[in-house]
Amino acid sequence: MNPLARPLLAALCALLVTINASALRAPTPGWTLEPGRALGPVVLGMSRAELARVGPVSPHPAGSLGPNVLVSRAWTYFLDAQGRLRTARRPLALTPGVVIAGRRVAPASTLNDIARLRIAGCTPIQRRVGGNVITCRARWGWSHFTEGAVSRGRVEVDVSRDR
């Protein structure tokens, strides 16, 4: 074997091992959902200006909801009296998928699909009049997967905080 080929072959083998190891550690695709903290690029406590960097915001079309309810493409934002984000809601179908407690919830998932995942910290399906819900609790607050009349039959995901 050519003496110059050995270092090249060794470097190529090291590169393949590195690529293979990083592929094993690849993150699960989708937005991270942290109950009471964040959903993908949206973090609770963000100001209107910070939300506008995620996407253009405008008052909710039902003006009766007040100045602290905003919409931005597929998002609905609920701000507190200080103008900070308290709850963010989005149709699950319009996310790249959601990762919660290491489990991936696909955009096309139904509430039954989500219940079958048995996600740590999340309840079984709770049957309610306006729609069924799975509630996920963390130290900082809540997240809900909701499906029913209120969400027009689709699954919506939200994140909110206690305080």
Side-chain angles (χ1 to χ4, degrees), residues 20-45:
N20 215 7
S22 67
L24 293 174
R25 290 189 305 265
T28 306
W31 284 348
T32 300
L33 171 60
E34 296 177 72
R37 286 220 172 164
L39 173 56
V42 173
V43 178
L44 296 180

Side-chain angles (χ1 to χ4, degrees), residues 51-158:
L51 291 170
R53 285 187 227 131
V54 175
V57 294
S58 60
H60 194 281
S64 62
L65 296 176
N68 287 338
V69 180
L70 306 172
V71 293
S72 176
R73 294 190 197 121
W75 293 96
T76 303
Y77 300 123
F78 300 86
L79 308 179
D80 63 18
Q82 290 75 39
R84 295 289 182 177
L85 183 63
R86 184 174 176 87
T87 301
R89 181 176 298 143
R90 183 179 179 99
L92 181 62
L94 299 178
T95 70
V98 171
V99 179
I100 177 170
R103 308 302 291 275
R104 183 171 191 273
V105 177
S109 295
T110 65
L111 215 55
N112 287 327
D113 297 334
I114 298 167
R116 280 193 287 277
L117 292 174
R118 295 192 174 109
I119 300 167
C122 297
T123 66
I125 296 175
Q126 302 162 50
R127 308 281 176 198
R128 298 187 178 166
V129 173
N132 301 324
V133 66
I134 293 174
T135 300
C136 304
R137 175 89 171 120
R139 190 171 73 162
W140 308 279
W142 308 89
S143 287
H144 300 94
F145 293 95
T146 307
E147 179 180 53
V150 173
S151 62
R152 295 182 293 277
R154 64 181 184 229
V155 175
E156 290 186 332
V157 59
D158 70 50

